[in-house]
């Protein structure tokens, strides 16, 4: 069965510092991995995805994520955090070995707090 | 404007009173899905639809029904709501299946007393 874990409920970082939000996954086939962000009182917005190819994926708002197959991880990163990055971040996975499935598994979410 | 709309945005109801939450998208997307968001549990998929007339269960389908009679609409039906279905619900759509970027609606906050 596929699963996603976000080991940190909250990440605190000072504005201008680099940030990392962690995600690990478990699937039986090749993973399709996603990051979504939820700003207060809003729906979720797509940030980036990994399907295949380069392990470093670049996305919206200066975010990037690194796919590490050996560690089954897909950590979200940004070189310099902004206060406006404060939000709830979700990692998600789809099992690429199940080509016809529409199932998508989300992690429990990590709150990112960027302080001025 | 490309969007996913949900109605109602807020709903307070009583146990056992049937309700429907509507979801509509104007992007001609094939794939649609319903999720519930609960504190500490993240998003959990209820049902999804790969295309018209094709629906399947997600991880938490118990107590819910869906139908996909037309491409743009994907209503979520609670035949006999219970307090444990109190949650924030999101509808989402994507072009084909969830490998593609999903567009989310604004959410429906449901309270069942």
């Amino acid at each position: 069965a596929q699963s996603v874990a976000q080991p940190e409920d909250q990440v605190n970082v000072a504005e201008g510092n680099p940030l990392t939000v962690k995600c690990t996954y478990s699937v039986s086939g090749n993973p399709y991995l996603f990051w979504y962000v939820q700003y207060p009182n809003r729906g979720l917005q797509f940030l980036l995805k990994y399907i295949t190819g380069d392990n470093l994926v670049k996305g919206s708002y200066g975010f990037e994520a690194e796919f590490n197959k050996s560690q089954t991880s897909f950590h979200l990163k940004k070189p310099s955090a902004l206060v406006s990055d404060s939000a709830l971040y979700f990692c998600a996975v789809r099992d690429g070995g199940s080509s016809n499935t529409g199932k998508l598994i989300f992690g429990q979410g990590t709150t990112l707090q960027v302080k001025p | 404007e490309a969007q996913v709309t949900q109605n109602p945005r807020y709903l307070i109801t009583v146990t056992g009173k049937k309700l429907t939450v509507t979801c509509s998208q104007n992007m001609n997307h094939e794939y649609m899905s319903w999720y519930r968001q609960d504190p500490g549990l993240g998003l959990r998929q209820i049902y999804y639809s790969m295309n018209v007339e094709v629906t399947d269960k997600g991880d938490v389908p118990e107590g819910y029904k869906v139908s996909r009679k037309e491409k743009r609409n994907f209503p979520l039906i609670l035949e006999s709501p219970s307090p444990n279905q109190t949650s924030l619900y999101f509808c989402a759509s994507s072009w084909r299946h969830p490998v593609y970027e999903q567009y989310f609606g604004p959410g429906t906050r449901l309270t069942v007393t």
Side-chain angles (χ1 to χ4, degrees), chain B residues 49-97:
Chain B
S49 169
M50 297 293 278
N51 49 52
V52 173
E53 301 291 1
V54 178
T55 64
D56 207 347
K57 297 176 181 178
D59 273 347
V60 289
E62 296 78 19
Y64 304 94
K65 285 175 59 177
V66 293
S67 69
R68 186 97 181 270
K69 293 186 171 64
E70 345 164 58
K71 185 184 270 192
R72 64 182 294 128
N73 296 324
F74 191 44
L76 180 70
I77 303 156
L78 284 72
E79 296 261 354
S80 183
S82 62
N84 65 11
Q85 292 178 298
T86 292
S87 187
L88 179 58
Y89 291 87
F90 288 101
C91 181
S93 72
S94 68
W95 181 49
R96 284 287 179 88
H97 50 63

Side-chain angles (χ1 to χ4, degrees), chain A residues 26-84:
Chain A
S26 174
V27 296
S28 55
N30 290 322
Y32 296 160
L33 294 154
F34 308 84
W35 278 101
Y36 284 84
V37 59
Q38 184 179 32
Y39 296 103
N41 301 313
R42 302 279 298 275
L44 279 74
Q45 298 176 31
F46 172 81
L47 272 181
L48 50 80
K49 68 180 178 184
Y50 172 84
I51 304 300
T52 187
D54 194 348
N55 289 344
L56 185 64
V57 178
K58 293 190 184 298
S60 307
Y61 312 121
F63 284 93
E64 57 189 28
E66 186 166 13
F67 170 64
N68 187 317
K69 188 171 183 177
S70 63
Q71 297 186 3
T72 61
S73 67
F74 189 56
H75 300 332
L76 182 70
K77 301 181 180 186
K78 188 174 183 181
S80 178
L82 299 172
V83 172
S84 57

